[in-house]
Amino acid sequence: MTDEGAADVWEFVAMLGDIPEGEVLGIETVRGERICLVNHRGTVHAVANNCTHQEFAMSDGHLLPKEGRCIIECAWHGAQFDCTSGAVLKPPAEQPLAVYRVKVEGEEIFVGGRVS
């Protein structure tokens, strides 16, 4: 599923230096979307910045280095999600996180429309 209205709109949201490898960063877009940027092994991913379990900020959580996968864990109740697909990997969450398109140009990070 794609957010058709925003699919081709890219918004500058941060610099690469703002999010070191292995870290997460919460941002808010001009459209008012709360997004969590994730730097996993030098690749930046973007997911919704609210846990689908009880709306806690995913940017308060942390990355888990498991088998080379990009997994983010909610700091509140320990729900885990795949950063690339948004899929729930560990309850108590039951619904996946929204995933957003990301592109990096030089040192600038841009977020586009929702992928799922």
Side-chain angles (χ1 to χ4, degrees):
M1 163 178 17
T2 302
D3 180 354
E4 297 292 333
D8 295 320
V9 177
W10 292 97
E11 180 179 333
F12 167 78
V13 293
M15 299 296 289
L16 276 177
D18 296 334
I19 179 169
E21 187 172 329
E23 298 293 324
V24 297
L25 174 68
I27 57 102
E28 186 168 334
T29 68
V30 172
R31 298 183 298 263
E33 296 165 308
R34 293 177 53 227
I35 294 177
C36 178
L37 299 176
V38 177
N39 185 340
H40 179 251
R41 296 183 173 181
T43 299
V44 179
H45 304 278
V47 296
N49 195 18
N50 58 306
C51 181
T52 59
H53 173 237
Q54 289 191 344
E55 302 295 316
F56 199 70
M58 293 305 297
S59 59
D60 288 340
H62 55 276
L63 291 182
L64 300 176
K66 288 188 177 178
E67 300 147 12
R69 294 177 68 188
C70 184
I71 299 171
I72 188 169
E73 181 176 66
C74 179
W76 199 355
H77 293 112
Q80 295 176 7
F81 302 88
D82 183 296
C83 301
T84 60
S85 69
V88 176
L89 301 176
K90 180 183 170 199
E94 296 178 2
Q95 300 298 316
L97 289 176
V99 176
Y100 294 83
R101 298 178 349 158
V102 175
K103 72 177 177 179
V104 178
E105 293 181 350
E107 294 293 313
E108 299 178 327
I109 302 170
F110 296 85
V111 172
R114 207 173 130 172
V115 176
S116 64

